[in-house]
Amino acid sequence: MARIGVVGAGIIGAAIGTWLIGDGHEVTVFDADPAGLPTSAGNAALIALPEIAPIASPGMLTAVPKWLLDPLGPLTLRWQDLPALTPWLLAFLAASTPARGARARLALTSLMQTALADHEALARIAGIAGHLRQTGFISLHDSQASLDGALREAQSVKQVLGYDYEAISTETARNMVPQLEGQFFGAMHQPGYWMVSNPLTVLRQYQDFVRGRGRLVDGKVTGVERRSDGIALRVAGQNEQVFDKIVVAAGVWSRELVRGMGLRVLLEAERGYNTTYTGLGWNLAVPVGFADHGFIASPLIDGLRIGGAVELAKPATSPNFGRAKAMREKMRRYVPSLPEGGVEWMGRRPSTPDSLPVIDRHPDDNRIVLAFGHGHLGLTLSAVTARLVADAIGGTSPTPTALSIARFQ
């Protein structure tokens, strides 16, 4: 048994803490705002097992200029933050080659192969059940070209992961989701998607498990010091604490801690917006993606969430909730019965240029494990990340080379 400190209590940190407790370790998880609403609280609730395509790709590059012209479109950039974002953007361009994209797909495929089984194992450790359900997923397309592209991607996913898909008519899509009364060209159904009941509820369950079987400390970790007797964490306003090993899993804020340890990392806030409705009197039977507009409507167990899109900005830049409103307005083209109202939210996805998380030991000190940068796939990859971190802590297997921090050095 080791004394382990985990920095970050979002879905990645909470999952890691839960798994490590299950392995018999003495675990303390730190977070600057454990009762707050981190990125994992406001995601689309999808366990998106078929999603192995990195964002950086030649196809994405051809779409970016058009999207950037629309300040409320699927991708936007806070231009005042451009100087700070430039290194990340240049690395994104470098990662958008076919060869780099193929390597990223291979790494994501490997993670997805056990992602669902790891979710089930993590739930058993925490003693929770009934939160996972296989819903499938429908993507709507406004043109033949858009639908054809989605079908090609689904076929490539089927070849490596075995997940089925089918093109469906607009009539079939409306039979599956009667609220789709607006016009669209065609649709695709993928039964391989799962959902959690509500991501905030699941996060709180893992945090409660950590709190009950370990410690969950309200405090911001401001630094890490390597010593002969252990790894010391400096915590704002508190005494420093020393552990046998630590895990850095603090989302986009991990970068300051990593840089303080002498490592480089390209990690930026890829911000997303959503609106959540409760008390509508109806819900969608299946999560629906609006493929040409970059957002998703997800039927949570207790409401409807509409969110997505990408805004590149510094973490502290003020939110633009016009993006949440734009998604609601676009959705009404397809679901005219959607009312105004709902609760708006903004979250900061910690994203790397190549769409791959960092899951690795510190190159000079295997007492330190790094786990951050999951982008759009934080919830999906949370449990497999927890297992890989536990393996790294125990020294039972090497971390995947493609996920190494070495790629940024």
Side-chain angles (χ1 to χ4, degrees), residues 333-357:
R333 303 178 193 174
Y334 307 90
V335 182
S337 57
L338 181 73
E340 261 302 341
V343 177
E344 296 177 329
W345 178 88
M346 184 272 289
R348 302 167 181 86
R349 308 179 189 101
S351 295
T352 62
D354 58 8
S355 301
L356 295 176

Side-chain angles (χ1 to χ4, degrees), residues 4 10 41 130 135 176-177 201 222-224 235 243 263 276 290 299 315 333:
I4 302 174
T135 59
M176 298 175 70
V177 184
T201 301
T222 59
V224 177
V235 185
F243 298 91
L263 298 175
T276 302
F290 302 87
R333 303 178 193 174

Side-chain angles (χ1 to χ4, degrees), residues 8-358:
I11 193 60
I12 301 298
I16 290 168
T18 297
W19 200 294
L20 292 174
I21 289 170
D23 279 355
H25 297 293
E26 182 184 317
V27 177
T28 301
V29 178
F30 297 85
D31 198 277
D33 185 18
L37 300 176
T39 302
S40 48
N43 61 39
L46 292 179
I47 306 296
L49 303 173
E51 295 190 9
I52 58 172
I55 295 175
S57 66
M60 173 64 72
L61 292 183
T62 60
V64 164
K66 178 182 69 175
W67 286 347
L68 289 177
L69 292 175
D70 180 359
L72 298 177
L75 171 66
T76 192
L77 175 69
R78 290 294 185 96
W79 294 103
Q80 69 269 30
D81 295 341
L82 181 59
L85 297 172
T86 295
W88 190 98
L89 291 168
L90 291 175
F92 177 85
L93 292 174
S96 299
T97 65
R100 292 279 301 276
R103 288 197 293 270
R105 286 182 72 93
L106 186 62
L108 289 171
T109 299
S110 177
L111 293 172
M112 292 302 182
Q113 286 172 338
T114 67
L116 182 60
D118 290 326
H119 273 286
E120 293 168 341
L122 184 68
R124 287 193 295 271
I125 293 170
I128 65 175
H131 63 299
L132 293 170
R133 54 197 170 114
Q134 186 174 4
T135 59
F137 180 78
I138 293 174
S139 60
L140 303 187
H141 301 269
D142 294 340
S143 68
Q144 184 70 60
S146 173
L147 179 59
D148 288 346
L151 292 171
R152 286 193 298 271
E153 171 61 23
Q155 175 60 25
S156 68
V157 171
K158 183 175 182 179
Q159 288 173 350
V160 294
L161 289 172
Y163 293 117
D164 284 330
Y165 68 96
E166 61 175 336
I168 57 176
S169 66
T170 55
E171 179 182 5
T172 298
R174 291 190 178 106
N175 287 337
M176 298 175 70
V177 184
Q179 293 84 6
L180 294 174
E181 298 173 339
Q183 296 300 309
F184 53 96
F185 175 82
M188 181 177 68
H189 177 230
Q190 294 173 277
Y193 279 76
W194 289 60
M195 288 186 68
V196 299
S197 53
N198 182 302
L200 178 58
T201 301
V202 172
L203 171 65
R204 296 293 187 239
Q205 288 175 311
Y206 289 130
Q207 289 177 334
D208 288 345
F209 179 81
V210 170
R211 191 180 285 112
R213 296 277 298 275
R215 295 177 62 218
L216 181 57
V217 175
D218 186 344
K220 181 180 180 180
V221 174
T222 59
V224 177
E225 182 180 350
R226 292 184 283 158
R227 299 178 179 174
S228 60
D229 63 337
I231 306 296
L233 294 181
R234 294 190 293 273
V235 185
Q238 302 180 32
N239 294 329
E240 68 179 20
Q241 299 190 41
V242 180
F243 298 91
D244 300 321
K245 300 182 179 184
I246 70 159
V247 182
V248 178
V252 71
W253 291 276
S254 300
R255 61 186 185 179
E256 280 73 29
L257 294 175
V258 169
R259 289 167 183 169
M261 290 186 279
L263 298 175
R264 293 184 68 246
V265 67
L266 290 174
L267 188 68
E268 293 293 347
E270 185 194 321
R271 307 193 319 174
Y273 293 80
N274 74 41
T275 304
T276 302
Y277 291 83
T278 57
L280 278 177
W282 56 268
N283 209 337
L284 306 182
V286 179
V288 176
F290 302 87
D292 299 293
H293 307 285
F295 70 95
I296 295 170
S298 299
L300 308 181
I301 200 72
D302 52 359
L304 175 67
R305 175 164 293 163
I306 301 157
V310 172
E311 178 185 59
L312 293 172
K314 293 192 294 187
T317 299
S318 59
N320 174 14
F321 286 108
R323 293 182 63 73
K325 181 179 180 182
M327 283 184 273
R328 297 193 300 271
E329 290 175 348
K330 288 179 180 178
M331 184 168 168
R332 289 191 190 96
R333 303 178 193 174
Y334 307 90
V335 182
S337 57
L338 181 73
E340 261 302 341
V343 177
E344 296 177 329
W345 178 88
M346 184 272 289
R348 302 167 181 86
R349 308 179 189 101
S351 295
T352 62
D354 58 8
S355 301
L356 295 176
V358 172

Side-chain angles (χ1 to χ4, degrees), residues 353-365:
D354 58 8
S355 301
L356 295 176
V358 172
I359 305 174
D360 194 14
R361 299 181 182 93
H362 189 293
D364 299 322
D365 196 328

